[in-house]
């Protein structure tokens, strides 16, 4: 029932619970008979839940997550021998400045552990709530209040541009910043703004002239060399890009608060030994990398 209501597809539900499609169809028929309701009905090319099916989705899923969490509490987690997949929802920024170090250390200390990375969508909290991901790594202020959170690190903003951009020969002023063309990023089908845009536009009342809109943080750097455009980016990512491209970092002329990033997991998984280990492992990697800086 959980697989059917989550996937809303007999084919995908069958794959998820490792049954044949006929067996899954038979299970749906038995569920319909038990509840006296169609539960899922075909509308065009899609299957959509009936009102009863919709009302059952969250309670059923939560019950299964509680059962899983209860069982996993008594399971010892030996990272060196464990074979387990952890699913993270995070931006390519976090993937570049943090997860690259995590995966390198995992190869040394826990080679049987796999990471699956999902890019942010329009509703990351729903992905955690549904159990589709194990962790979110996002700015602290956008994480859900009903689930545990761990502080990870803080990062501030700088301006980045081509190393031969004449506008960057002197420290940037607010006037220079506003007069130049900008490269920025919007995420997902909802075209969500990045934190720097939210701060500049909503809190500072500034509307820089956007000339290029990228689909990810890492694409921004490609659109700066050979132009007079600039971009507002996180400092750690700017330092990374400068190792590979002819780019120059400038202190930001507008006062922008640093962003605190956090790690979040589902409350039902709080006592899962694997989840506990991964949280501590990530904190250890961050501490180690800061010691190198």
């Amino acid at each position: 029932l959980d697989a059917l209501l989550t996937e809303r597809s007999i084919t995908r539900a069958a794959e998820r619970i490792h049954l044949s499609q006929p067996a899954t169809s038979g299970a749906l028929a038995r569920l319909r008979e038990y509840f006296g309701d169609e539960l899922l009905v075909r509308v065009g090319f899609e299957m959509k839940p009936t009102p009863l099916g919709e009302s059952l989705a969250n309670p059923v899923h939560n019950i299964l997550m509680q059962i899983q969490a209860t069982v996993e509490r008594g399971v010892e987690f030996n990272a060196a021998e464990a074979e387990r997949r952890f699913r993270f929802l995070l931006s390519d920024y976090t993937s570049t400045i943090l997860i690259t170090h995590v995966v390198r250390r995992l190869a040394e200390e826990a080679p049987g552990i796999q990471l699956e990375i999902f890019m942010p969508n329009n509703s990351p909290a729903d992905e955690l709530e549904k159990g589709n991901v194990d962790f979110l790594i996002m700015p602290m202020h956008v994480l859900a209040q009903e689930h545990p959170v761990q502080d990870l690190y803080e990062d501030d903003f700088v301006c980045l541009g081509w190393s031969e951009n004449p506008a960057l020969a002197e420290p940037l002023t607010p006037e220079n910043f506003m007069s130049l063309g900008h490269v920025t990023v919007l995420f997902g089908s909802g075209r969500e703004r990045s934190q720097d845009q939210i701060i500049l536009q909503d809190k500072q009342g500034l509307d820089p002239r956007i000339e290029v809109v990228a689909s990810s943080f890492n694409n921004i750097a490609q659109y700066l060399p050979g132009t007079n455009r600039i971009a507002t980016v996180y400092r750690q990512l700017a330092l990374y890009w400068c190792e590979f491209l002819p780019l120059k970092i400038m202190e930001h002329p507008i006062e922008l608060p640093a962003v605190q990033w956090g790690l979040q997991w589902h409350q039902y998984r709080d006592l899962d030994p694997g989840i506990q280990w991964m949280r501590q492992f990530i904190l250890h990697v961050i501490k180690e990398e800061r010691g190198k800086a």
Side-chain angles (χ1 to χ4, degrees):
L1 178 59
D2 176 62
L4 286 162
L5 292 175
T6 300
E7 299 296 339
R8 301 185 181 186
S9 161
I10 292 175
T11 301
R12 291 195 301 270
E15 293 173 354
R16 177 170 172 173
I17 56 181
H18 306 291
L19 288 178
S20 66
Q21 190 167 338
T24 306
S25 295
L28 176 58
R30 292 190 295 275
L31 288 165
R32 284 169 168 168
E33 181 179 358
Y34 178 82
F35 285 102
D37 186 89
E38 286 297 294
L39 299 176
L40 285 167
V41 294
R42 184 163 296 282
V43 179
F45 295 103
E46 299 178 328
M47 295 192 77
K48 294 188 177 181
T50 63
L52 178 61
E54 190 75 50
S55 70
L56 289 171
N58 285 336
V60 167
H61 192 77
N62 287 339
I63 288 169
L64 287 176
M65 289 193 69
Q66 291 182 58
I67 292 172
Q68 182 181 12
T70 300
V71 171
E72 288 172 343
R73 289 180 191 180
V75 178
E76 182 179 350
F77 186 81
N78 183 343
E81 299 178 359
E83 293 186 0
R84 178 167 171 178
R85 176 177 296 183
F86 291 94
R87 300 157 298 172
F88 286 78
L89 190 151
L90 46 83
S91 71
D92 62 317
Y93 152 73
T94 312
S95 181
T96 297
I97 64 101
L98 173 58
I99 301 301
T100 51
H101 302 299
V102 171
V103 297
R104 184 174 65 250
R105 289 296 305 275
L106 283 174
E108 300 169 357
E109 299 185 23
I113 289 179
Q114 299 177 339
L115 295 191
E116 185 173 4
I117 309 300
F118 296 84
M119 289 292 288
N121 55 22
N122 299 333
S123 53
D126 287 347
E127 298 301 311
L128 184 69
E129 194 68 49
K130 294 175 181 177
N132 294 334
V133 297
D134 299 304
F135 293 103
L136 303 178
I137 300 182
M138 304 186 73
M140 287 285 288
H141 66 274
V142 304
L143 293 173
Q145 296 182 356
E146 60 267 27
H147 298 295
V149 174
Q150 171 69 58
D151 285 351
L152 290 183
Y153 62 88
E154 184 179 83
D155 205 358
D156 63 345
F157 294 103
V158 296
C159 284
L160 191 66
W162 182 34
S163 57
E164 297 183 33
N165 184 342
L168 305 185
E170 301 290 338
L172 278 172
T173 65
E175 291 75 22
N176 295 144
F177 176 81
M178 293 300 295
S179 68
L180 293 169
H182 289 250
V183 179
T184 191
V185 61
L186 294 175
F187 302 104
S189 59
R191 311 306 285 158
E192 301 293 332
R193 296 175 296 168
S194 57
Q195 292 300 308
D196 61 286
Q197 295 174 72
I198 293 172
I199 296 169
L200 283 170
Q201 295 171 1
D202 297 353
K203 298 183 178 180
Q204 301 282 0
L206 300 175
D207 192 17
R209 190 175 78 252
I210 305 300
E211 293 185 352
V212 179
V213 177
S215 59
S216 68
F217 283 116
N218 278 326
N219 284 337
I220 292 175
Q222 303 173 39
Y223 304 132
L224 295 173
T227 78
N228 290 338
R229 300 186 182 102
I230 61 172
T232 296
V233 299
Y234 289 105
R235 185 182 298 271
Q236 293 187 53
L237 194 57
L239 290 168
Y240 173 82
W241 284 335
C242 286
E243 296 180 14
F244 306 101
L245 293 171
L247 297 171
K248 183 177 182 179
I249 296 173
M250 303 291 290
E251 293 303 317
H252 209 290
I254 310 296
E255 186 175 348
L256 302 178
V259 175
Q260 181 68 40
W261 290 76
L263 176 74
Q264 186 165 61
W265 58 97
H266 201 287
Q267 58 181 331
Y268 294 151
R269 311 293 296 283
D270 197 35
L271 297 180
D272 176 342
I275 296 293
Q276 292 178 336
W277 180 87
M278 181 58 73
R279 283 152 37 194
Q280 293 304 313
F281 184 77
I282 290 173
L283 289 174
H284 176 72
V285 171
I286 291 173
K287 182 178 180 180
E288 185 179 70
E289 291 302 315
R290 284 179 176 174
K292 295 178 182 178

